[in-house]
Amino acid sequence: MNRKIIFLTTDSMGSGDGRLGEQLLETYFTLLKQQEQLPAAIFCVNRGVLALTGKSMASLHLKELADRGVPVLACSTCVNYYGVGDQLYAGEVSSMGHFIELSAQYEVITIS
């Protein structure tokens, strides 16, 4: 997993029920943080930046991943669009240019 980056495009997993999707996303990051090999980075775009706010249970696990050294990054355009710059519980604001650099170095796993 350390040669991969996670591209998170939403604050839930899958296209079904929203509450179920939020639970699935939380479970994914709960299990991911327990792995020996962690991803090289997590980059959040569009509604994915909402998973970094205190309104999302996934933010607790994303913060733990960040505390363990995984760069957890939020698209600046998306953060500004949703107006959540002061609500980020986990991660730091970054740029799409940085994502392009990361995606040139690592395999990308998209969660949508």
Side-chain angles (χ1 to χ4, degrees):
M1 187 62 109
N2 62 349
R3 298 295 310 151
K4 297 176 171 77
I5 58 172
I6 296 172
F7 189 60
L8 183 62
T9 67
T10 185
D11 56 342
S12 69
M13 185 179 268
S15 60
D17 181 77
R19 290 190 147 183
L20 174 60
E22 290 171 6
Q23 289 177 340
L24 292 172
L25 189 65
E26 180 186 2
T27 300
Y28 176 82
F29 285 116
T30 297
L31 296 173
L32 180 65
K33 73 181 184 187
Q34 296 171 12
Q35 300 301 304
E36 187 174 317
Q37 287 192 5
L38 299 175
I42 299 169
F43 197 91
C44 303
V45 297
N46 208 323
R47 290 189 59 87
V49 300
L50 300 178
L52 302 174
T53 69
K55 294 179 181 178
S56 171
M57 292 300 291
S59 68
L60 302 172
H61 309 293
L62 288 161
K63 181 166 181 3
E64 286 185 45
L65 286 162
D67 290 345
R68 290 185 58 197
V70 176
V72 176
L73 308 167
C75 163
S76 60
T77 302
C78 305
V79 166
N80 292 335
Y81 179 84
Y82 288 108
V84 295
D86 60 342
Q87 299 172 37
L88 296 181
Y89 177 76
E92 59 187 72
V93 177
S94 188
S95 68
M96 193 60 72
H98 190 198
F99 173 70
I100 291 170
E101 292 170 7
L102 289 169
S103 64
Q105 295 176 333
Y106 301 100
E107 180 182 349
V108 177
I109 297 173
T110 301
I111 297 178
S112 57

